[in-house]
Amino acid sequence: MRLERILHSQGFGSRKACRSMIRNGRVRLAGRIIDDPFAELSTEELVFTVDEQTWSYRDKAYLVLNKPAGYECSHRPQCHPSVFALLPAPLVARGVQCVGRLDQDTAGLLLLSDDGQFIHRWSSGKKNVPKVYEASTAEAVTDAQIQALLSGVHLNGEPTPVHAVACERVAENTLRLTVTEGKYHQIKRMVAAAGNHVERLHRSKIGGFALPSDLARGQWRWLTNADVAALGAFVSP
Ligand code: URA
């Protein structure tokens, strides 16, 4: 692929902007400036540098972000900064989107991608993807609340009761719940319907993929093949 096209595909600007970036000597391969925008390169395991930023070519972008509370999952945030402010500009420019949304005040595991099929696969409520949340509650969690969450609670606007596929008390005021849908404010509404109130919410797992313990809050990293395989574990086809 031509170098200008490579840069454009990775989010470094329009073809014209990429051409001038290359001609201005801002792009290096293995430390050597390549100033020909039309140089043909293999994209396999390609690593290049733009100014001081090292970048590895990826046909599609698959990321995990440890979302802090206080960020909106939107390109046009209303009241808080956007999660996209936590990503490098080229990822935003190439059209990375959130795979399902977390509320502004929810923290934890957020997947992002520019692969439409992947986004649909992992965000559609119809695909039965288990998602695990830890909810800190205002009141001590009771057995009756756990039972209600497991057997199903009525949520406004939902025709049938909604239930957690797993629910346990992990501390006096903390619940761990697994749900397979992705309804609006689902966990908060479920816990409220069971007679308690969510004060803090954290998502720790999607499918078989847990938020990496070494990923600091606000940090992102690429998903590995092993991560994507783990995602698919425990998910019915
Ligand atoms: N349920 C909620 O209530 N909020 C989220 O952000 C995710 C699930």
Side-chain angles (χ1 to χ4, degrees), residues 26-83:
R26 293 169 57 193
V27 182
R28 291 168 191 263
L29 251 82
R32 202 163 58 89
I33 292 176
I34 310 281
D35 60 7
D36 175 7
F38 304 110
E40 284 284 346
L41 301 168
S42 162
T43 54
E44 211 172 311
E45 303 202 1
L46 177 67
V47 179
F48 57 92
T49 306
V50 177
D51 299 328
E52 295 314 312
Q53 190 173 24
T54 299
W55 209 256
S56 48
Y57 175 89
R58 279 178 164 86
D59 189 25
K60 295 282 181 208
Y62 305 99
L63 329 170
V64 50
L65 171 72
N66 186 351
K67 179 192 177 295
Y71 283 78
E72 294 182 27
C73 290
S74 168
H75 282 286
R76 284 190 209 87
Q78 306 285 309
C79 307
H80 301 272
S82 163
V83 289

Side-chain angles (χ1 to χ4, degrees), residues 126-183:
K126 296 192 189 106
K127 303 276 183 185
N128 260 338
V129 179
K131 288 161 284 251
V132 182
Y133 294 87
E134 283 80 36
S136 306
T137 57
E139 312 293 337
V141 176
T142 66
D143 291 345
Q145 288 166 3
I146 293 177
Q147 261 328 302
L149 289 162
L150 285 170
S151 52
V153 289
H154 287 279
L155 302 183
N156 267 348
E158 296 300 330
T160 51
V162 179
H163 68 97
V165 294
C167 180
E168 59 178 330
R169 181 178 20 229
V170 289
E172 199 181 343
N173 285 55
T174 311
L175 276 170
R176 180 174 295 129
L177 293 110
T178 308
V179 297
T180 53
E181 309 90 339
K183 298 183 191 301

Side-chain angles (χ1 to χ4, degrees), residues 101-107 133 179 182-190 198 201 203:
R101 290 183 174 202
L102 290 175
D103 295 338
Q104 165 277 124
D105 53 355
T106 302
Y133 294 87
V179 297
K183 298 183 191 301
Y184 181 66
H185 292 335
Q186 181 168 344
I187 300 290
K188 291 175 189 160
R189 288 161 69 212
M190 286 175 73
V198 173
L201 189 58
R203 182 160 67 188

